[in-house]
Amino acid sequence: MDSAAITVEGLSFYWPSGAAVLRECSLTIEPGEFCMLLGNNGSGKSTLLRLLAGLLQRQVGMIRTKGPVGFVFQNPDHQLVMPTVGADVAFGLVKEKLTLPQVRQRVEEALAAVNLQHLQRRAIYALSGGQKQRVAIAGAIAQHCQILLLDEPTALLDPDSQIDLVRQVQALVKSRGLTALWVTHRLAELDYCDRAFLIENGSVADQGDPQRLKKKLQN
């Protein structure tokens, strides 16, 4: 039986115009891996992530994910909908029909996981960009996601916040056994992942050791 956390086989995706975004794309990610997805603009990285999250409907090929999936957008303002940190993390738990004490416990545990427990009552608008992304991650953790998908989560952050966030996700993968797939353009972020995939023209052109891919792209 396949033990992979994420399996993609022969995945193709077309826009209504007929333009192909993904072409026979295949990849496998094991449980507990922190992987990064690289590629030029328009290569299909974000489309692949949205298909894995169920935000787009699969057309051709196979997708299999094991466990609940959490998604973090490039711009956290597109994701955070409640006025305060604690309320936003609790928002996704409504469908689970938990008691109020259970919700509070989930929220406290999720915020502690991203080192924001002291900001539970803070207004969302008063947060930095990096803090907003960590609140988005806490929302996924509160829902007990096992797979975390992050679409260029550092794109709008300053350099220090970029490194803080990637280290935070690396630590969560190791401490909580999460599987993470992170889309990036920043080669420096490859220093923190276990494996990387290079997407070209809608399919995986190369994969493996992050430092080898980093050198390849630098050259």
Side-chain angles (χ1 to χ4, degrees):
M1 186 175 179
D2 185 8
S3 62
I6 299 173
T7 305
V8 176
E9 292 181 2
L11 186 64
S12 296
F13 184 83
Y14 305 87
W15 294 128
S17 64
V21 185
L22 296 172
R23 300 175 178 87
E24 292 290 319
C25 183
S26 299
L27 59 82
T28 302
I29 298 174
E30 297 301 321
E33 277 196 300
F34 182 14
C35 295
M36 290 194 176
L37 203 57
L38 301 151
N40 293 328
N41 288 332
S43 60
K45 306 182 303 298
S46 292
T47 299
L48 174 57
L49 218 66
R50 281 164 168 73
L51 286 162
L52 288 170
L55 300 177
L56 292 173
Q57 292 299 310
R58 177 181 57 84
Q59 296 170 344
V60 179
M62 185 272 286
I63 295 173
R64 183 167 57 247
T65 55
K66 288 196 172 180
V69 175
F71 191 94
V72 176
F73 288 86
Q74 180 183 110
N75 187 342
D77 289 333
H78 296 163
Q79 187 161 8
L80 306 181
V81 297
M82 299 300 283
T84 66
V85 169
D88 200 273
V89 174
F91 181 74
L93 300 175
V94 173
K95 61 183 180 293
E96 296 193 37
K97 299 180 180 178
L98 301 172
T99 65
L100 187 56
Q102 288 173 325
V103 170
R104 285 175 176 161
Q105 182 177 357
R106 291 266 199 108
V107 169
E108 289 169 2
E109 289 175 351
L111 288 173
V114 296
N115 298 319
L116 290 181
Q117 60 269 43
H118 59 294
L119 297 183
Q120 185 167 342
R121 299 183 185 278
R122 181 73 58 87
I124 292 292
Y125 74 81
L127 301 177
S128 68
Q131 287 171 334
K132 287 180 179 180
Q133 288 294 40
R134 285 156 66 188
V135 172
I137 292 170
I141 291 173
Q143 296 177 63
H144 288 174
C145 79
Q146 294 176 22
I147 296 172
L148 189 59
L149 306 173
L150 306 103
D151 189 10
E152 294 193 66
T154 59
L156 305 179
L157 305 183
D158 63 77
D160 287 342
S161 297
Q162 292 165 14
I163 297 303
D164 284 345
L165 189 67
V166 70
R167 285 175 172 166
Q168 184 78 62
V169 172
Q170 181 190 45
L172 286 171
V173 169
K174 294 183 182 301
S175 65
R176 302 180 70 92
L178 297 178
T179 303
L181 181 58
W182 170 300
V183 171
T184 187
H185 281 111
R186 295 189 168 91
L187 297 183
E189 293 174 358
L190 291 172
D191 294 342
Y192 299 91
C193 69
D194 301 311
R195 210 154 48 97
F197 298 89
L198 176 63
I199 303 289
E200 292 181 351
N201 299 317
S203 61
V204 177
D206 200 352
Q207 62 178 292
D209 178 63
Q211 295 307 310
R212 179 182 66 81
L213 282 176
K214 183 178 179 180
K215 290 178 182 178
K216 174 180 178 177
L217 293 171
Q218 285 173 333
N219 294 331

